[in-house]
Amino acid sequence: MSEITKQYSVDLTRVENSVYRATNAEGASVEFGRGEGLLSPVELLLAAVAGCTAVDVDVVTSRRTEPESFQVRAEGDRVNEDGASRLSDVRVAFDLSFPSTPEGDKARALVDNLIRISHEKDCTVSRTVEHATNVEFSNVSK
């Protein structure tokens, strides 16, 4: 049984042709769209999938020690199904390094389990992508 525990929202504003700004309730924003130097909406989706689990891993491992490097790559294949496109086979790869200290060893030992738990339970973004989710569009400017 599902229960709503929090609602999220962003407001999207057109900056110029094919460039948009998404702003959350706290006022944080990101520009994206088509064009040089901008992430595309699909790339934002990949960043969200990678970022969600990255936060989960980072919060716990950083309690032990700061990572020496923390890199995550997300990629997916655009496929065409009967004239409609979507991503398929999204892959997320973590490349982390921690100091050669007892604390670093503890952080390193946690990573695989943290990724698994995030993927199976905690990461709202990847879980949403993996499950059928209703998306409803409306035109309120009629």
Side-chain angles (χ1 to χ4, degrees), residues 37-109:
L38 295 172
L39 292 174
S40 73
V42 173
E43 291 164 333
L44 279 179
L45 176 64
L46 291 171
V49 169
C52 189
T53 296
V55 168
D56 290 342
V57 171
D58 195 20
V59 165
V60 176
T61 57
S62 292
R63 289 180 189 146
R64 276 73 180 167
T65 188
E66 280 294 305
E68 291 178 332
S69 68
F70 196 111
Q71 301 291 322
V72 185
R73 180 175 180 86
E75 54 187 24
D77 303 322
R78 182 177 169 162
V79 296
N80 184 315
E81 292 177 334
D82 302 319
S85 63
R86 67 174 181 85
L87 283 184
S88 176
D89 298 324
V90 172
R91 299 166 299 280
V92 182
F94 281 74
D95 186 5
L96 313 177
S97 67
F98 297 95
S100 296
T101 63
E103 295 83 3
D105 293 342
K106 288 178 186 176
R108 190 177 306 102

